[in-house]
């Protein structure tokens, strides 16, 4: 959620020095006796700064200026001012303030000035506040009196209801907006902050003045805003949503600095998110959250029917609501569910069920299981602004006799797989180029440490990696809605991406397999390196259990085959994860299973890999344009490929583990085999010997090798912090929760 900004509020406390019994309570001035009013108060937007000018102009019954004018100035940092005792021939006054103010959205003092107005009958109250709402109401009141011939009382009452109704805040209309104050800690205060923040959000001081003038003009005409303005307000509202907590903190901090404690209510309840004319009815109150009678249902293999009571005082929905005429945020499912699988190719849901919600009773009917592995599926419930507020988790027992059919991809599935492979094939070559340059295998002055956080190749590698991860998330979610047969394969590719990113950046943002939920900005902090390593271990162990025990086909000629990797790919990747943590024995056990099969031939490392190389276990084919690569290539036979896993690399990984375990004799066999086939003899059976061999062969994972063996700093002349690359600066700029790696 997001926070709210402040608008300038002028608080004018008017103490009446004379008896008011002689004053009329009507708008008619007949019988009114000139009265002394001791006018004082505060400019409270955030507080206007010391020295700001405050003007008071008496008005007649037609709200025309009488010619009198009084000026005062703010005398302290809380916005305090006083006019002293003034004898006024009319109780009607216009109050104006223009000056610098505290911006609640940015948490800073403004660099430009803002003018606010209010019109008031001093007989009605002992205080008058200048704020955004009083300013909007001011011109409407003036127009209703001058153009429509209404009395001040009639005009004020009408404008009061209209200005609050426009923002869905009509429930607070009994309190005149001239008495709203952001420091009061009330509902009215929160409502004022909400409206103020909408006007301040993402605008310069000049733009704020222009926008406020536009709003005042439109509202003065008919007590409403144009459709274009309404749409802009809604766009600003949804953009502001995640910033509301910070806005509240900005307000409280500002007043704390001045020795004043100010309470701010949860601002999320003071916006009309669903556009029904009432703010706050979309979201359950904090003291009465939405809950379910039960959150989990375990369904037997045979299926069953279930009813769950929903405890709520606000409407809830089984689908995220969309609002007529609104194009504010995306309420659609992140993937197209239709066509993920080929028609008639096993596109049944993993749990086949129906759901309905009536009178706060959620009814779920589950059919018999058609899968051999226990399946689970969530049923989310949403409030009126699209937040998930509750979730029923269905878990169904597996049917051991169910037929397992791996469905073929349909048109949408083929598109998603192809786009994923293209994204991955952008990231992997970039990562390879970074490896060659940072390790000085290829000399490039741009990659001399310390690397700039604005280096384009680093930025592009980061972006392409997350594009690939995003496509995996979309595939994962689409597949999970049906048989969920692709998840082991998707996890391997997902883990490959995170392993590569971990080598270069350490902890990074981890995207859930189902993608990010919700329509708001996803400002997600980095996940720690240790947590990522744990995730990779768990997912790859699970993948090894579920993948096929067969030779991995390095390339696929179509999308239906592209995702299918064998246990060996997961073993090799998990071994690398273990080696990064110096778990040599665990890694050796995995690699031994691969090399002992003797099904992956070794050959001389070529200058350029092609699809004819037998050494390849997993690779990406490069397109003819040299920039886009894909395992899914349907337009011809590419000439070049980027290796991901090779027999050569696996043998050296295994030898490295055995050296660390003290088994030099076993390591020697594989070092010699790699050396001999490449015309290199006499390699020392040591980590340094493997280093020389990897460097001369220009193997892709050279930096990872140096890093896990503690050689990178000495070999490459790096400082310790330079064992990680900087997080791209554009990522730091876009995500306020993103932190930079130390030293950059």
């Amino acid at each position: 959620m997001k926070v709210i900004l402040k608008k300038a509020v002028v608080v004018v406390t008017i103490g009446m020095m004379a008896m008011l019994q002689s004053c009329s309570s009507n708008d008619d001035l007949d019988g009114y006796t000139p009265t002394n009013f001791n006018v004082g108060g505060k400019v409270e937007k955030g507080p206007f700064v010391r020295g700001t000018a405050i003007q008071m102009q008496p008005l007649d019954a037609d709200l025309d200026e009488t010619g009198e004018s009084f000026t005062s100035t703010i005398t302290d940092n809380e916005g305090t001012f006083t006019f002293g005792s003034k004898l006024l021939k009319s109780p009607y006054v216009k109050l104006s303030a223009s000056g610098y103010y505290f911006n609640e959205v940015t948490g800073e003092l403004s660099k430009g000035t803002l003018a606010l107005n209010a019109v008031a009958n001093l007989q009605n109250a002992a205080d008058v506040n200048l704020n955004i709402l009083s300013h909007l109401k001011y011109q409407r009141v003036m127009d209703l009196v001058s153009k429509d011939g209404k009395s001040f009382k009639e005009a004020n009452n009408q404008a009061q209801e209209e200005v609050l109704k426009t923002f869905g805040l009509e429930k607070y209309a009994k309190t005149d907006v001239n008495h709203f104050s952001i420091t009061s800690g009330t509902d009215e205060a929160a409502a004022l902050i909400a409206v103020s923040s909408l006007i301040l959000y993402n605008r310069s001081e000049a733009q704020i003045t222009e926008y406020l003038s536009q709003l005042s003009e439109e509202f003065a005409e008919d007590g409403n805003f144009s459709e274009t303005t309404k749409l802009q307000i809604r766009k600003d509202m949804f953009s502001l949503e995640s910033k509301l907590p910070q806005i509240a903190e900005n307000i409280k901090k500002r007043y704390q600095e001045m020795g004043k404690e100010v309470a701010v209510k949860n601002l999320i309840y003071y916006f009309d998110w669903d556009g029904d004319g009432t703010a706050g009815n979309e979201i359950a109150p904090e003291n009465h959250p939405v809950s379910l009678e039960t959150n989990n249902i375990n369904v037997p293999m045979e299926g069953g029917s279930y009813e769950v009571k929903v405890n709520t005082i606000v409407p809830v929905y089984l689908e995220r609501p969309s609002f007529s005429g609104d194009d504010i945020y995306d309420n659609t499912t992140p993937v197209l569910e239709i066509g993920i699988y080929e028609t008639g190719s096993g596109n049944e849901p993993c749990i086949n069920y129906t759901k309905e919600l009536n009178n706060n009773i959620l009814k779920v009917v589950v059919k018999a299981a058609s899968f051999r592995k226990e399946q689970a599926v969530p049923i989310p419930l949403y409030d009126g602004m699209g937040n998930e507020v509750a979730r029923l988790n269905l878990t169904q027992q597996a049917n051991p006799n169910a037929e397992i059919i791996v469905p073929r991809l349909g048109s949408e599935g083929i598109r998603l797989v192809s786009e994923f492979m293209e994204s991955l094939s952008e990231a992997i070559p970039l990562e390879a180029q970074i490896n060659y340059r940072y390790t000085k295998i290829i000399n490039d002055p741009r990659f001399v440490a310390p690397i700039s956080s604005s280096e384009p190749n680093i930025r592009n590698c980061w972006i392409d990696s997350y594009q690939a991860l995003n496509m995996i998330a979309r595939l994962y979610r689409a597949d999970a809605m049906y048989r969920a047969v692709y998840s082991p394969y998707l996890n391997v590719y997902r883990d490959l991406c995170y392993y590569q990113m971990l080598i270069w950046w350490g902890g990074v943002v981890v995207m859930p397999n189902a993608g990010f939920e919700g329509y708001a900005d996803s400002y997600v902090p980095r996940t720690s390196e240790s947590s990522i390593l744990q995730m990779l271990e768990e997912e790859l162990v699970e993948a090894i259990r579920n993948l096929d025990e067969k030779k991995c086909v390095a390339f696929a000629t179509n999308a239906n085959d592209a995702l299918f990797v064998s246990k060996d790919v997961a073993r090799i990747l998990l071994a690398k994860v273990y080696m990064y943590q110096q778990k040599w024995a665990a890694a050796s056990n995995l690699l031994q299973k691969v090399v002992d099969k003797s099904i992956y031939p070794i050959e001389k490392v070529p200058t350029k890999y092609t699809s004819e190389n037998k050494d390849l276990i997993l690779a990406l084919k490069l397109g003819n344009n040299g920039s886009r690569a894909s395992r899914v290539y349907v337009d011809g036979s590419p000439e070049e490929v980027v290796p991901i896993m090779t027999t050569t690399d696996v043998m050296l990984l295994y030898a490295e583990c055995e050296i660390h375990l003290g088994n030099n004799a076993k390591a020697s066999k594989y070092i010699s085999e790699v050396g001999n086939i490449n015309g290199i003899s006499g390699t020392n059976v040591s980590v340094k010997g493997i280093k020389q061999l990897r460097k001369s062969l220009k193997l892709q994972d050279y930096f990872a090798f140096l890093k896990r063996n503690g050689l990178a700093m000495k070999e490459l002349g790096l400082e310790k912090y330079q064992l990680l690359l900087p997080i791209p600066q554009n990522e730091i700029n876009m995500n306020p929760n993103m932190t930079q790696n130390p030293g950059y």
Side-chain angles (χ1 to χ4, degrees):
M1 301 271 179
K2 302 196 174 186
V3 238
I4 295 178
L5 317 151
K6 299 176 182 172
K7 275 307 174 189
V9 178
V10 176
V11 180
V12 182
T13 305
I14 302 156
M16 307 192 25
M17 303 302 293
M19 302 281 293
L20 296 181
Q21 288 86 343
S22 63
C23 297
S24 172
S25 60
N26 300 320
D27 294 315
D28 190 348
L29 295 183
D30 290 345
Y32 176 81
T33 302
T35 303
N36 281 300
F37 295 93
N38 192 22
V39 182
K42 294 181 179 179
V43 182
E44 199 193 63
K45 163 80 201 46
F48 273 35
V49 301
R50 185 193 302 265
T52 298
I54 310 296
Q55 189 176 41
M56 180 172 66
Q57 296 172 288
L59 308 174
D60 61 21
D62 296 323
L63 302 187
D64 293 326
E65 297 177 9
T66 65
E68 291 185 285
S69 181
F70 306 95
T71 301
S72 185
T73 59
I74 291 174
T75 58
D76 60 25
N77 288 329
E78 290 192 31
T80 305
F81 70 92
T82 182
F83 286 98
S85 181
K86 302 297 180 185
L87 182 65
L88 301 180
K89 299 176 182 179
S90 165
Y92 306 125
V93 295
K94 172 186 175 182
L95 294 169
S96 304
S98 180
Y100 296 94
Y101 57 93
F102 179 73
N103 186 314
E104 302 84 36
V105 174
T106 63
E108 299 175 348
L109 290 175
S110 69
K111 295 180 176 64
T113 60
L114 181 69
L116 295 175
N117 299 318
V119 61
N121 181 350
L122 300 182
Q123 299 175 102
N124 294 337
D127 59 10
V128 180
N129 299 345
L130 270 71
N131 54 53
I132 291 297
L133 290 171
S134 75
H135 185 86
L136 291 174
K137 191 181 79 169
Y138 160 76
Q139 194 59 56
R140 178 62 172 162
V141 172
M142 302 297 283
D143 280 18
L144 288 172
V145 172
S146 64
K147 296 179 180 180
D148 295 358
K150 294 183 180 290
S151 69
F152 176 87
K153 182 177 182 180
E154 293 170 332
N156 189 67
N157 289 342
Q158 180 176 333
Q160 167 75 13
E161 290 190 7
E162 289 172 341
V163 72
L164 290 170
K165 184 177 181 179
T166 299
F167 295 99
L169 299 167
E170 194 174 6
K171 69 179 75 175
Y172 308 118
K174 291 182 179 180
T175 303
D176 196 302
V177 296
N178 288 2
H179 305 147
F180 283 21
S181 170
I182 62 174
T183 63
S184 66
T186 61
D187 289 323
E188 290 80 4
L192 176 59
I193 297 170
V195 175
S196 297
S197 64
L198 282 173
I199 295 171
L200 289 178
Y201 176 67
N202 202 30
R203 292 183 174 89
S204 67
E205 280 83 359
Q207 290 172 327
I208 291 169
T209 297
E210 183 181 33
Y211 187 48
L212 186 57
S213 175
Q214 172 193 327
L215 294 177
S216 298
E217 291 177 6
E218 290 184 7
F219 186 73
E221 185 173 345
D222 61 3
N224 210 332
F225 299 127
S226 69
E227 292 303 314
T228 300
T229 298
K230 288 179 181 179
L231 180 60
Q232 183 61 57
I233 289 173
R234 289 191 63 76
K235 287 182 177 179
D236 290 343
M237 179 175 64
F238 284 103
S239 298
L240 190 67
E241 185 258 339
S242 65
K243 301 174 177 62
L244 297 180
Q246 188 58 54
I247 291 173
E249 288 303 312
N250 290 344
I251 293 171
K252 290 188 283 188
K253 181 180 179 182
R254 176 62 177 174
Y255 281 94
Q256 283 173 352
E257 292 172 349
M258 299 185 293
K260 186 179 181 66
E261 294 295 326
V262 172
V264 180
K265 294 197 171 189
N266 189 340
L267 298 173
I268 196 72
Y269 295 99
Y270 300 89
F271 294 86
D272 183 12
W273 301 104
D274 62 4
D276 70 347
T278 302
N281 67 342
E282 307 89 346
I283 317 163
E286 295 173 323
N287 61 352
H288 203 303
V290 177
S291 64
L292 301 179
E293 184 179 23
T294 181
N295 294 104
N296 301 284
I297 295 178
N298 294 313
V299 184
M301 177 181 68
E302 296 78 15
S305 180
Y306 307 89
E307 291 187 353
V308 178
K309 182 181 179 181
V310 183
N311 301 309
T312 180
I313 61 174
V314 298
V316 293
Y317 310 90
L318 286 172
E319 304 295 336
R320 182 174 286 122
S322 60
F323 309 122
S324 177
D326 284 347
D327 187 23
I328 308 303
Y329 60 82
D330 185 8
N331 293 298
T332 62
T333 304
V335 297
L336 298 175
E337 300 174 16
I338 300 174
I340 182 67
Y341 299 130
E342 190 177 77
T343 303
S345 184
N347 56 337
E348 308 93 294
C350 58
I351 296 181
N352 195 345
Y353 69 95
T354 60
K355 59 184 179 181
E356 60 181 45
L357 181 62
N358 294 307
N359 298 320
N360 290 337
I361 300 295
L362 173 59
K363 184 177 181 180
V364 181
V365 179
V366 184
K367 295 184 178 181
S370 60
F371 38 80
R372 292 188 179 183
K373 183 181 178 181
E374 181 180 273
Q375 299 289 334
V377 64
I379 301 177
L381 277 73
Y382 303 94
D383 64 17
M385 68 174 292
N387 296 311
E388 183 180 320
V389 291
R391 175 179 291 194
L392 176 65
N393 298 303
L394 293 182
T395 303
Q396 188 172 16
Q397 182 183 15
N399 179 356
N401 299 316
E403 182 182 4
I404 297 296
I405 301 174
V406 178
R408 294 186 63 79
L409 296 169
S411 58
E412 180 64 10
I414 290 173
R415 184 186 69 80
L416 291 174
V417 172
S418 298
E419 289 185 7
F420 159 65
M421 287 299 177
E422 289 179 359
S423 297
L424 184 64
S425 64
E426 297 282 355
I428 295 294
L430 272 173
E431 189 275 332
Q433 290 302 310
I434 292 172
N435 174 78
Y436 292 140
R437 284 161 170 77
Y438 202 56
T439 59
K440 303 178 182 179
I441 292 175
I442 297 176
N443 291 320
D444 188 335
R446 295 173 300 173
F447 278 81
V448 175
I451 305 297
S452 169
S453 60
S454 300
E455 161 53 42
N457 286 291
I458 293 176
R459 181 189 67 237
N460 293 337
C461 186
W462 177 283
I463 292 172
D464 290 336
S465 296
Y466 275 106
Q467 285 178 340
L469 287 166
N470 183 56
M471 295 308 303
I472 292 174
R474 297 180 69 187
L475 279 163
Y476 195 99
R477 180 164 180 167
D479 180 59
M481 294 179 179
Y482 299 103
R483 284 188 164 278
V485 296
Y486 282 100
S487 57
Y489 311 101
L490 294 171
N491 280 343
V492 171
Y493 279 106
R494 178 177 183 265
D495 294 341
L496 173 65
C497 291
Y498 281 119
Y499 169 75
Q500 300 282 40
M501 297 186 78
L502 181 138
I503 295 296
W504 292 107
W505 289 289
V508 294
V509 173
V510 172
M511 181 183 295
N513 269 338
F516 288 117
E517 295 267 346
Y519 52 83
D521 297 338
S522 298
Y523 295 146
V524 180
R526 300 168 68 175
T527 299
S528 68
E529 183 175 289
S530 59
S531 296
I532 294 175
L533 288 167
Q534 182 179 351
M535 176 190 75
L536 298 181
E537 287 188 31
E538 292 174 353
E539 291 187 354
L540 290 169
V541 167
E542 178 68 16
I544 291 171
R545 280 198 292 267
N546 294 309
L547 295 174
D548 293 331
E549 188 69 82
K550 63 180 183 181
K551 181 180 179 180
C552 185
V553 178
F555 303 108
T557 58
N558 61 76
N560 272 288
D561 301 327
L563 292 178
F564 287 91
V565 293
S566 70
K567 289 182 186 290
D568 291 333
V569 171
R571 286 173 178 141
I572 296 167
L573 182 55
L574 181 56
K576 290 184 177 183
V577 172
Y578 283 147
M579 292 173 74
Y580 186 82
Q581 304 170 83
Q582 300 186 343
K583 298 178 180 179
W584 307 112
S588 176
N589 290 335
L590 291 166
L591 295 168
Q592 184 176 2
K593 288 183 171 65
V594 180
V595 298
D596 284 354
K597 289 181 178 180
S598 300
I599 59 175
Y600 300 104
I602 187 172
E603 61 182 357
K604 183 179 180 180
V605 176
T607 304
K608 293 184 178 180
Y609 281 93
T610 74
S611 57
E612 302 300 317
N613 288 110
K614 305 283 192 298
D615 192 53
L616 297 169
I617 298 174
L618 184 65
L620 293 167
K621 291 185 177 181
L622 286 174
N624 291 328
N625 61 9
S627 61
R628 295 173 64 125
S630 179
R631 288 188 72 206
V632 183
Y633 193 88
V634 296
D635 298 327
S637 299
E639 296 178 354
E640 297 180 348
V641 303
V642 174
I644 298 176
M645 296 178 182
T646 67
T647 307
T648 297
D649 187 50
V650 170
M651 286 186 172
L652 293 180
L653 288 171
Y654 186 40
E656 182 183 341
C657 291
E658 293 304 303
I659 288 171
H660 281 288
L661 295 171
N663 301 322
N664 285 20
K666 186 181 290 187
S668 176
K669 172 185 176 183
Y670 297 102
I671 292 173
S672 297
E673 188 169 355
V674 171
N676 291 337
I677 202 166
N678 286 281
I680 302 172
S681 60
T683 302
N684 290 332
V685 183
S686 65
V687 171
K688 290 186 178 181
I690 295 177
K691 181 195 73 172
Q692 294 302 323
L693 197 55
R694 282 185 170 276
K695 186 176 182 179
S696 64
L697 295 175
K698 299 181 180 179
L699 298 185
Q700 186 169 322
D701 290 337
Y702 187 49
F703 183 68
F705 166 81
L706 294 175
K707 198 172 169 180
R708 65 178 174 252
N709 286 285
L711 301 173
M713 294 171 62
K714 181 179 180 180
E715 182 73 13
L716 306 177
L718 303 177
E719 295 185 32
K720 186 175 181 180
Y721 80 90
Q722 294 164 349
L723 294 176
L724 295 175
L725 295 178
I727 303 295
Q729 188 59 45
N730 66 313
E731 199 63 27
I732 300 291
N733 296 340
M734 290 189 297
N735 184 354
N737 293 320
M738 178 64 70
T739 56
Q740 183 58 273
N741 279 328
Y744 294 101

